[in-house]
């Protein structure tokens, strides 16, 4: 086994471990905090909440985002809700324990038990915090907070604000952030793209960014850096992520020594609007919450081109309800996506190209009335009708799986510190609690747990033992070196002067990745994918076309730098998927499945986090962090 840094996991029982550790962490006097600078990269939920909380504690914070405002961050796209272990009296269940179990099982026992427990224990406080900020969660008639079910759960514990939960939570964090901006404790630095990290004696002490308006490179020094830059599913080109979502910051960190964990663990969401035409550049998510009231079905007859209203009930296959009677339409995302793809591949799919399944609200409308459904899912109904041109209250929605969330990310210890001292990684950018498949409605939960509750304590504790002057000759030299690296990357792309647009390469990469490392994978396809990505990478660096002007806004240059990183990341994803000879969660190797077509884990050989170390000029080195379970013993993940 290769050497890994200590993950700093708590000893003893999981229950209450974070509270015990938190009380023992060292603190810093406010006077000392006033002289410390922290750089936060990313203005989404985890970045904005961390920046606001650290500033409230007394630190000076610089928040860097490539958006014109943190309110534009991709967190606003999260629709369905946020899990929390509040009291579930009607089910007579222990909320914390049930959320903990579902998170571990949802990740197919490929996540750390201790971090999953901490997430469940913090969850209730997050709802209290957001309510205090004025987040308009849905409420029942009598005034109590309303909940609904999400995939992978049999209890209702997802709090929501219609179909705008992410947006409303981000606005709450943004208000807290702007309060600190007004207090001059946070400096907002919008329209900047972080291209390099500044490393001094192995410790991260700042970043280099490109001003997207002027094209100038800028240096920001810090006592510590926080990356909260989201996921990397745009490696597939077509995904539910916003067009600018990228992997540049975490990939720069990886190439400077931050280990990358489980890069092939990527989630395909089953509830997306299907592709419209070949020129489309983004897919649109329909919230998983629709599966509470919508029934998913396909015709029982192959290539059935009839209008859905002309297909009698007996000729409809409600396949998730048939295959998984315990969970029905609320099975986890990886399971629902695989079943939909299999049936569409077999010829049962609907739509022009046969790459859709129906999500039908008919029965819920008959039972509850159209007004209640409209009230519950209003903006989702409107969004679908605007995009597709069909009223989902009058006929079934058509949906199909699409790349959505990335469970992999930079490796961090229990305190969210990467293998680079001074570099903390939050939210979807890290690899902590989701294992091989994120439980529905746990994304917003992790972002706010990291930002509001974990990072402020962890960063403070680490800084308590640090002595550092941001104006020494040593850091001056490190800044010059980092700026030179960033400038060389720009120069190398501009001087190619090829004839093929960046988007052509990105689209080709996406096709390779979805076919070779998407919903299903196999050894032959993964090996072919590695060869295809290498060939595409060579072609990119010889034939890409980037407009010459760099000292001005240049979106093509921005895209080119991101696609260059995606090409390298794609190779690591394929290598990781090839090395994990088992199926678990969303990582489904066709060679390893049960007779029922479900994922077949190999706990004896692969009960671990795969952690990759970058080696310049050679193949990446795979390290292994073994996983152990005491509160929950691994068992067969069955939703039938």
């Amino acid at each position: 086994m290769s050497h890994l840094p200590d993950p700093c996991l708590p000893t003893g029982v999981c229950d209450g471990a974070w509270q015990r550790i938190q009380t023992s962490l060292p603190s810093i006097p406010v006077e000392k905090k006033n002289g410390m600078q922290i750089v936060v990269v990313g203005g989404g939920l985890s970045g904005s909440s961390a920046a606001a909380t650290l500033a409230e504690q007394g630190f000076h914070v610089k928040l860097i985002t490539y958006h014109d405002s943190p309110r534009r961050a991709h967190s606003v796209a999260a629709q369905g809700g946020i899990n929390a272990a509040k009291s579930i009296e009607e089910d007579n269940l222990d909320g914390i324990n049930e959320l903990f179990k579902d998170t571990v099982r949802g990740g197919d026992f490929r996540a750390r038990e201790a971090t999953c427990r901490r997430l469940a224990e913090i969850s209730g406080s997050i709802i209290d915090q957001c309510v205090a900020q004025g987040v308009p969660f849905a409420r029942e008639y009598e005034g109590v907070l309303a909940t609904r079910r999400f995939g992978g759960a049999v209890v209702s514990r997802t709090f929501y604000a219609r179909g705008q939960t992410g947006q409303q939570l981000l606005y709450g964090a943004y208000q807290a952030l702007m309060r600190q901006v007004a207090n001059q404790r946070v400096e907002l630095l919008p329209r900047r793209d972080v291209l390099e990290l500044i490393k001094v004696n192995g410790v991260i002490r700042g970043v280099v960014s490109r001003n997207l308006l002027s094209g100038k490179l800028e240096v920001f020094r810090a006592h510590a850096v926080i990356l909260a830059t989201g996921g990397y599913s745009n490696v597939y080109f077509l995904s539910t992520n916003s067009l600018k979502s990228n992997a540049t910051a975490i990939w720069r960190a990886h190439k400077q020594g931050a280990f990358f964990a489980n890069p092939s663990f990527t989630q395909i969401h089953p509830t997306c609007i299907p592709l419209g035409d070949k020129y489309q550049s983004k897919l649109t998510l329909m919230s998983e919450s629709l599966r509470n009231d919508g029934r998913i079905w396909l015709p029982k007859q192959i290539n059935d081109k009839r209008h859905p209203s002309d297909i009698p009930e007996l000729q409809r296959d409600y396949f998730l309800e048939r295959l998984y009677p315990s969970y029905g339409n609320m099975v986890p995302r990886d399971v629902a996506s695989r079943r939909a793809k299999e049936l569409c591949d077999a010829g049962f799919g609907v739509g022009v190209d046969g790459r859709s399944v129906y999500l039908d609200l008919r029965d819920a409308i008959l039972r509850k009335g159209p007004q209640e459904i409209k009230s519950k899912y209003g903006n989702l109904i409107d969004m679908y009708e605007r995009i597709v041109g069909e009223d989902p209250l009058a006929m079934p929605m058509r949906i199909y799986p699409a790349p959505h969330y990335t469970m992999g990310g930079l490796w961090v210890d229990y305190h969210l510190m990467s293998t680079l001292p001074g570099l903390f990684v939050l939210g979807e950018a890290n690899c902590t609690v989701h294992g091989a498949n994120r439980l529905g409605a746990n994304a917003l939960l992790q972002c706010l747990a990291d930002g509001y509750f974990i990072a402020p304590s962890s960063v403070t504790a680490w800084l308590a033992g640090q002595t550092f002057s941001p104006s020494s000759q040593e850091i001056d030299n490190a800044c010059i070196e980092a700026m030179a690296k960033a400038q060389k990357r720009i120069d190398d792309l501009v001087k190619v002067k090829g004839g093929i647009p960046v988007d052509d390469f990105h689209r080709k990469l996406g096709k390779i990745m979805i076919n070779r490392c998407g919903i299903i994978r196999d050894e032959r396809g993964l090996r072919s994918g590695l060869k295809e990505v290498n060939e595409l990478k060579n072609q990119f660096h010889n034939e890409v076309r980037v407009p010459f002007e760099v000292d001005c806004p240049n979106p093509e240059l921005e895209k080119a730098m991101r696609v260059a990183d995606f090409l390298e990341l794609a190779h690591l994803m394929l290598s990781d998927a090839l090395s994990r000879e088992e199926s678990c969660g969303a990582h489904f190797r066709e060679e390893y499945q049960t007779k029922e077509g479900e994922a077949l884990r190999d706990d004896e050989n692969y009960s671990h986090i795969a952690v990759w170390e970058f080696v310049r000029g050679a193949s990446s080195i795979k390290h292994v962090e073994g996983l152990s379970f005491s509160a929950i013993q691994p068992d067969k993940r069955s939703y039938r």
Side-chain angles (χ1 to χ4, degrees):
M1 293 297 178
S2 302
H3 175 71
L4 260 182
D6 182 5
C8 301
L9 298 177
T11 57
V13 296
C14 286
D15 188 2
W18 171 242
Q19 289 82 355
R20 295 193 301 270
I21 289 175
Q22 193 175 26
T23 56
S24 66
L25 293 176
S27 59
I28 301 174
V30 174
E31 304 78 39
K32 187 176 179 181
K33 290 179 180 178
N34 287 334
M36 289 185 166
Q37 182 77 58
I38 298 173
V39 166
V40 177
V41 184
L45 267 181
S46 53
S48 288
S49 59
T53 307
L54 287 163
E56 182 74 32
Q57 292 179 348
F59 293 103
H60 285 278
V61 179
K62 293 183 187 294
L63 189 146
I64 301 174
T65 174
Y66 54 69
H67 297 288
D68 57 354
S69 165
R71 289 180 299 173
R72 301 286 188 184
H74 185 61
S75 297
V76 302
Q79 301 161 338
I82 175 172
N83 283 333
K86 305 290 276 185
S87 176
I88 311 172
E89 296 177 1
E90 68 273 18
D91 293 298
N92 193 29
L93 294 172
D94 174 0
I96 290 177
N97 204 41
E98 289 303 310
L99 178 54
F100 166 49
K101 287 180 179 178
D102 284 347
T103 299
V104 174
R105 288 186 72 244
D108 214 357
F109 298 92
R110 292 296 177 259
R112 297 170 180 155
E113 191 178 62
T115 54
C116 293
R117 181 73 194 191
R118 176 174 63 183
L119 186 73
E121 291 176 346
I122 291 173
S123 63
S125 298
I126 291 172
I127 301 300
D128 295 339
Q129 166 106 358
C130 294
V131 168
Q133 289 176 333
V135 173
F137 286 120
R139 293 180 181 269
E140 302 291 357
Y141 179 78
E142 62 271 24
V144 300
L145 294 175
T147 60
R148 55 193 179 198
R149 280 182 64 199
F150 251 60
V154 294
V155 297
S156 177
R157 54 151 171 264
T158 302
F159 297 79
Y160 63 97
R162 297 185 78 183
Q164 306 169 354
T165 312
Q167 182 184 60
Q168 297 303 325
L169 291 174
L170 183 61
Y171 285 178
Y174 178 75
Q175 290 177 92
L177 178 69
M178 294 309 293
R179 179 173 178 268
Q180 298 305 323
V181 171
N183 291 339
Q184 298 185 335
R185 305 205 70 85
V186 171
E187 181 183 358
L188 271 182
L189 298 162
R191 302 302 302 272
R192 288 166 170 87
D193 211 358
V194 169
L195 302 183
E196 286 293 342
L197 303 181
I198 297 167
K199 185 161 63 172
V200 181
N201 295 326
V203 181
I204 298 303
R205 297 298 191 184
V207 301
V208 173
S209 69
R210 180 176 180 269
N211 188 310
L212 299 181
L213 296 179
S214 69
K216 302 298 183 185
L217 296 181
E218 302 169 332
V219 166
F220 299 102
R221 308 178 188 210
H223 291 81
V225 173
I226 293 174
L227 295 186
T229 52
Y232 50 88
S233 67
N234 273 357
V235 71
Y236 293 98
F237 184 66
L238 286 171
S239 82
T240 65
N241 277 12
S242 63
L243 290 178
K244 288 189 175 182
S245 295
N246 64 83
T248 291
I250 60 173
W251 194 250
R252 295 297 103 203
H254 177 57
K255 296 186 77 168
Q256 288 209 33
F259 290 1
F260 209 117
N262 293 338
S264 67
F265 283 177
T266 55
Q267 186 177 77
I268 310 295
H269 199 292
T271 318
C272 300
I273 297 178
L275 180 67
D277 60 54
K278 64 180 181 179
Y279 298 108
Q280 193 167 325
S281 58
K282 185 190 181 308
L283 297 174
T284 303
L285 177 69
M286 287 283 102
S287 171
E288 181 176 296
S289 61
L290 288 163
R291 292 197 277 155
N292 276 281
D293 289 299
R295 301 179 70 190
I296 295 175
W297 65 275
L298 282 171
K300 291 183 178 179
Q301 178 180 316
I302 289 179
N303 297 321
D304 194 332
K305 302 300 182 182
R306 287 178 292 175
H307 190 278
S309 61
D310 295 332
I311 302 177
E313 188 71 15
L314 291 177
Q315 295 178 25
R316 300 181 178 191
D317 180 14
Y318 295 93
F319 56 93
L320 293 181
E321 298 173 27
R322 170 173 58 83
L323 293 169
Y324 307 99
S326 297
Y327 284 74
N329 295 296
M330 300 308 293
V331 292
R333 294 172 177 178
D334 61 310
V335 176
S337 293
R338 281 200 300 276
R339 299 291 86 87
K341 182 183 187 302
E342 288 169 357
L343 287 170
C344 288
D345 287 348
F348 294 96
V350 297
V352 176
D353 59 357
R355 309 304 294 177
S356 307
V357 302
Y358 288 129
L359 192 156
D360 197 342
L361 295 166
R362 181 197 62 178
D363 291 349
I365 292 171
L366 292 174
R367 188 171 63 253
K368 301 178 180 180
Q371 287 306 314
E372 182 173 338
I373 298 300
K374 181 76 172 178
S375 174
K376 194 172 182 180
Y377 304 108
N379 61 304
L380 297 173
I381 302 293
D382 294 340
M383 183 165 61
Y384 182 88
E385 187 169 5
R386 284 196 302 270
I387 294 172
V388 180
E390 298 172 355
D391 180 4
L393 299 181
M395 66 181 297
M397 292 182 177
R398 286 181 293 106
I399 59 169
Y400 193 71
H404 176 56
Y405 191 89
T406 52
M407 287 77 67
L410 293 185
W411 183 92
V412 292
D413 65 17
Y414 189 68
H415 301 286
L416 306 184
M417 173 86 82
S418 72
T419 50
L420 290 174
L423 181 67
F424 295 82
V425 190
L426 278 55
E428 193 178 354
N430 72 26
C431 172
T432 52
V433 296
H434 304 307
N437 179 67
R438 176 174 66 78
L439 190 69
N442 265 8
L444 300 178
L445 176 58
Q446 186 210 351
C447 286
L448 294 183
D450 287 358
Y452 280 136
F453 292 96
I454 302 172
S457 296
S458 298
V459 173
T460 300
W462 182 78
L463 287 172
Q466 293 292 304
T467 57
F468 170 70
S469 171
S471 58
S472 66
Q473 183 62 48
E474 208 168 27
I475 192 170
D476 288 346
N477 294 337
C479 291
I480 293 170
E481 181 183 349
M483 285 189 70
K485 284 183 181 178
Q487 189 62 56
K488 185 177 185 304
R489 290 181 62 218
I490 293 171
D491 294 342
D492 286 347
L493 286 170
V494 169
K495 72 183 181 183
V496 173
K497 298 181 179 179
I500 302 177
V502 177
D503 280 346
D504 282 17
F505 288 101
H506 198 176
R507 189 176 282 106
K508 289 177 182 177
L509 176 63
K511 288 180 179 178
I512 294 170
M513 293 305 291
I514 197 65
N515 290 331
R516 305 304 192 189
C517 198
I519 299 176
I520 57 174
R521 300 102 187 258
D522 60 40
E523 180 179 358
R524 182 179 178 182
L526 291 167
R527 293 192 184 279
S528 295
L530 285 168
K531 180 181 178 181
E532 291 162 357
V533 167
N534 282 335
E535 291 173 350
L536 188 64
K537 179 183 173 183
N538 291 334
Q539 185 188 15
F540 173 85
H541 287 289
N542 285 293
E543 299 183 46
V544 69
R545 183 180 71 214
V546 179
F548 179 75
E549 295 80 7
V550 295
D551 295 330
C552 61
N554 189 336
E556 289 301 302
L557 174 61
E558 297 168 35
K559 288 192 291 186
M561 288 191 286
R562 292 165 184 171
V563 172
D565 292 331
F566 278 139
L567 285 162
E568 295 181 354
L569 171 58
H571 190 280
L572 185 63
M573 291 170 64
L574 291 160
S575 299
D576 181 53
L578 186 62
S579 72
R580 187 175 284 274
E581 296 179 351
E582 66 162 352
S583 290
C584 56
H587 170 67
F588 192 80
R589 288 279 298 267
E590 283 194 298
E591 308 97 319
Y592 309 104
Q593 57 181 298
T594 66
K595 62 181 181 180
E596 296 87 9
E598 305 294 351
L600 183 62
R601 293 197 323 264
D602 181 353
D603 291 335
E604 182 177 350
N605 295 304
Y606 295 99
S607 183
H608 63 240
I609 298 172
V611 189
W612 295 85
E613 177 183 2
F614 176 79
V615 181
R616 194 168 302 279
S619 298
S620 297
I621 298 174
K622 180 181 176 180
H623 304 266
V624 167
E625 180 192 333
L627 295 169
S628 60
F629 300 90
S630 57
I632 304 175
Q633 291 304 310
D635 58 11
K636 181 181 178 181
R637 181 173 173 255
S638 175
Y639 296 94
R640 293 182 181 268

